[in-house]
Amino acid sequence: MVDATAKLEEPFSRIGGKPKIAYFSMEIGIDEHIPTYSGGLGVLAGDTIKSCADLNVPVVGITLLSEKGYFFQKIDEEGNQIELPINFIPSDFLTLLPTRTEVTIEGRPVTLQVWLYQYRGIGGYIIPVFFLDSNVEGNSDWERELTKYLYGGDQKYRLAQEIILGIGGVRILQQLGYKTIDRYHMNEGHAAFGTLELYRQLQDIERVREQCVFTTHTPVPAGHDQFELGMAKEMLGEMLPEEILPDVTYEGRLNMTKLALFFSHYVNGVAKKHGEVSRSMFPGYSIDSITNGVHSTTWVSEPFQRLFDKHMPGWRSDPYILRSAFSINKDEIWEAHMEAKRTLIDYVNNRCNAGMDYDDFTIGFARRATAYKRPDLILADIDRLVHIAETVGPIQIIYAGKAHPKDTQGKETIKRIYNTMKTLRGKVKMAFIPNYNMSIAKMMVAGVDLWLNTPRRPMEASGTSGMKAAHNGVPQFGTLDGWWLEGCIENITGWSIGPEKTEDQASDDEVDKNDLYSKLENRILPKFYLDRGNWIRTMRSCIAINASFFNTNRMVQQYVLNAYFI
Ligand SMILES: *Cc1c(COP(=O)(O)O)cnc(C)c1O
């Protein structure tokens, strides 16, 4: 076995900066081949680490191994989602280190080992990501399963996972010899038990707070992680001190968001609106906002990478440069787009037998299949949809997205989409690509003509897939929620659905549906089919106005200034 410590310290010493920030996330999607993520939260974590590496920000990442991933999605003839285990062999991509640590779960010691992944930034700066693993000889069978299934199992399993991530995470860093960490950043409340370990060591609430930063991602109370207090006490034992209980429980349950809020000196939501929503949800706390982004190099498709390299060299390390996209010739933008579009259309025709056409207007919708995102809003009135396609111009719709195994509503939605696809055959071409993941996302955000996003307000904390689309000149058509409140300039970077920015009410499905169809019919399709030059101008604005800002390079700089070094 290699000397892990030497291996770890070396990359930082090249630049001269020892790691100062530990970034904790239940899921991290940093590489298409490492399936330890389920959706937006994990992809954001991966993109964050990549931008930290590009910017030489001294961070280490901590997550769970999630050896069986989330799940592999198959869809049967009737549209039923079938969940299969993922075959991921950690040793193909990660290095097992000799360092170990221990946590106590329900009074029993559980040994943890750790795997290393190293991400190399654009200038050569390397950021280590540590994947905690409880599948160690000597642990009980149940304990050995704890780091296998991302968001799997029951409440007790989940609580045990969070003990491993938070407490195990803080301890493994110390075991690995990281002595200079002075900020612990919790990406969502899952890692909040780390604060209990710091409190045990420091015995001083203020000193823990000085070190902790918390990013919340959930805009509704029901979405926050919480555990029965009795179970939490049994599982955590002495790690959960009585004196803080009034501050970290809500309605008799241990609330991970409250725990993280209590022990953090800096807290933020992930878009301006989400900051507001969080402040009203948790009065008495000071909550800032830093709007999410995506890692530009990761999400720009190959044809656009070539185009950007030619016209805007330097955009990879400094995506602000994408502002100058305004000077790129429209024909070249269209050519790059068509190349990305052909790749996607070929893929859906091969894989889903979709019979789609390169020249037809193509709408993309891909994200977690869950009720609040309303994946089938555009299918709510299929007669109207068919009428629009037949009178204004052909429409193709490409879907993808997994429903959480326990989300029956989400699964029903996939089924409904499947059935509608059969009904619409010959009138509006549709495809549902199974097993949505980062590779499929990358192909879809670049290959469609319009990115559709229909969350029910104010449920979408930020959303990031529309930012990926903008990086490929693809405009978004979406509800004014999350990042889109900041990114939508009507008819310039895309279009809004439903109430205007100044109106602050919850979404009404009927109103939104009507607005969706009417804008599609009267503004969007005619612009695409009859006014192509102006359409491409919109594409260009997406890159110049939105990609230049909604990237993790800008986001990380804000974290450094506002969260880490204050
Ligand atoms: C970007 C991404 C998401 C997040 O999409 P949202 O629009 O923010 O919901 C989810 N899954 C994958 C695989 C992604 O790449």
Side-chain angles (χ1 to χ4, degrees), residues 120-405:
R120 182 181 293 271
I122 194 158
Y125 192 65
I126 291 172
I127 291 193
V129 182
F130 298 104
F131 294 77
L132 288 159
D133 180 9
S134 69
N135 189 8
V136 177
E137 219 170 302
N139 290 340
S140 73
D141 289 347
W142 182 74
E143 290 157 2
R144 293 184 73 157
E145 295 281 305
L146 288 173
T147 54
K148 286 201 174 153
Y149 301 94
L150 178 59
Y151 305 133
D154 54 12
Q155 281 288 96
K156 186 175 166 185
Y157 183 88
R158 181 74 169 260
L159 178 58
Q161 286 194 323
E162 299 191 7
I163 291 174
I164 293 174
L165 177 66
I167 299 173
V170 170
R171 290 184 185 166
I172 199 81
L173 285 174
Q174 291 170 348
Q175 290 292 325
L176 285 161
Y178 288 111
K179 299 196 172 66
T180 51
I181 302 288
D182 52 25
R183 290 288 183 272
Y184 291 85
H185 185 167
M186 296 168 269
N187 186 41
E188 193 49 300
H190 308 129
F193 289 145
T195 61
L196 297 181
E197 172 63 7
L198 294 172
Y199 183 52
R200 185 185 69 86
Q201 294 180 12
L202 300 168
Q203 290 297 317
D204 180 340
I205 293 170
E206 278 314 313
R207 284 185 61 202
V208 177
R209 282 186 185 145
E210 272 167 30
Q211 301 191 13
C212 291
V213 168
F214 171 47
T215 300
T216 171
H217 293 260
T218 321
V220 285
H224 294 270
D225 231 3
Q226 44 195 346
F227 299 103
E228 289 302 331
L229 194 53
M231 178 177 69
K233 283 180 174 173
E234 265 171 43
M235 297 282 282
L236 284 153
E238 290 168 356
M239 291 301 296
L240 186 61
E242 283 289 330
E243 71 267 20
I244 64 163
L245 288 183
D247 293 301
V248 302
T249 47
Y250 181 71
E251 293 175 344
R253 279 186 282 215
L254 176 60
N255 185 298
M256 297 303 279
T257 303
K258 287 199 75 175
L259 177 62
L261 284 168
F262 178 71
F263 274 120
S264 296
H265 76 277
Y266 178 88
V267 180
N268 73 289
V270 288
K272 288 196 193 320
K273 173 75 179 179
H274 180 235
E276 266 171 48
V277 170
S278 304
R279 282 190 288 276
S280 61
M281 210 168 11
F282 298 102
Y285 293 96
S286 148
I287 304 179
D288 195 9
S289 68
I290 294 179
T291 303
N292 279 345
V294 299
H295 184 248
S296 302
T297 314
T298 299
W299 294 105
V300 173
S301 61
E302 272 174 35
F304 276 96
Q305 292 203 8
R306 272 184 264 121
L307 188 65
F308 294 173
D309 285 341
K310 178 177 162 198
H311 293 279
M312 304 179 283
W315 67 275
R316 290 163 198 268
S317 54
D318 182 9
Y320 290 118
I321 292 178
L322 295 172
R323 291 166 70 240
S324 3
F326 280 124
S327 61
I328 303 176
N329 183 293
K330 283 188 289 186
D331 294 340
E332 285 185 273
I333 290 188
W334 189 248
E335 244 170 66
H337 174 63
M338 284 308 290
E339 190 180 328
K341 188 171 177 183
R342 283 193 295 268
T343 304
L344 174 68
I345 300 289
D346 288 347
Y347 180 85
V348 290
N349 287 349
N350 283 330
R351 184 151 177 206
C352 312
N353 202 11
M356 290 194 178
D357 212 295
Y358 295 144
D359 294 321
D360 289 358
F361 182 71
T362 305
I363 298 174
F365 187 102
R367 48 185 57 81
R368 280 186 301 125
T370 189
Y372 87 83
K373 301 215 182 216
R374 296 186 294 185
D376 52 351
L377 190 67
I378 190 176
L379 305 175
D381 184 346
I382 52 174
D383 293 336
R384 188 152 173 205
L385 182 66
V386 170
H387 174 78
I388 296 169
E390 285 174 349
T391 53
V392 192
I395 297 173
Q396 309 181 132
I397 307 175
I398 303 177
Y399 274 104
K402 295 175 181 175
H404 185 277

